[in-house]
Amino acid sequence: MSDKIHFVTTAEQRVELALCLKRIVEHTAHLVQTEEHPTIRKEIAIDIITANNVSFGIIAYGTISADDVNWIVERHDANELWTAEQFASRESYLRSLIEGE
């Protein structure tokens, strides 16, 4: 686990991250509304809370951690929120936000 904090310095970076988090929240909000099993609903709801926490860090402080980026990529992959064509370029772009320092 990495606890190093990286600054999100450009508007382009903030927009890309905001769109990623928006996709996660929309997808998980739909899942939590349609899932009937309480334990699975709880796990899905945790994704919404995590996305909101990551958003807060970006909005309030302009920061993101490597763990946050890994989580965003993992959630997009697990929920197939990117097409196969989008995955390579979007993943490498997000990882470049934290690898450039």
Side-chain angles (χ1 to χ4, degrees):
M1 296 267 263
S2 170
D3 57 0
K4 183 174 180 187
I5 300 299
H6 304 271
F7 288 96
V8 182
T9 55
T10 68
E12 176 187 347
Q13 293 170 340
R14 287 180 188 230
V15 167
E16 180 65 28
L17 289 164
L19 290 173
C20 289
L21 292 164
K22 178 181 180 277
R23 278 190 293 275
I24 292 169
V25 169
E26 287 175 345
H27 181 76
T28 53
H30 172 73
L31 290 177
V32 81
Q33 291 172 8
T34 58
E35 179 59 53
E36 293 186 16
H37 193 281
T39 303
I40 296 173
R41 283 175 61 100
K42 179 180 174 184
E43 291 172 6
I44 295 168
I46 289 170
D47 279 352
I48 294 173
I49 293 166
T50 304
N52 286 330
N53 289 342
V54 173
S55 298
F56 181 76
I58 295 166
I59 293 166
Y61 303 109
T63 60
I64 192 163
S65 72
D67 289 339
D68 294 339
V69 170
N70 291 334
W71 180 82
I72 290 169
V73 170
E74 184 238 288
R75 296 318 308 149
H76 274 69
D77 187 30
N79 293 310
E80 299 177 348
L81 299 175
W82 285 323
T83 64
E85 298 82 33
Q86 294 172 321
F87 192 86
S89 66
R90 297 251 173 99
E91 178 187 19
S92 63
Y93 177 77
L94 290 177
R95 294 202 187 282
S96 74
L97 299 179
I98 57 172
E99 292 171 354
E101 296 180 10

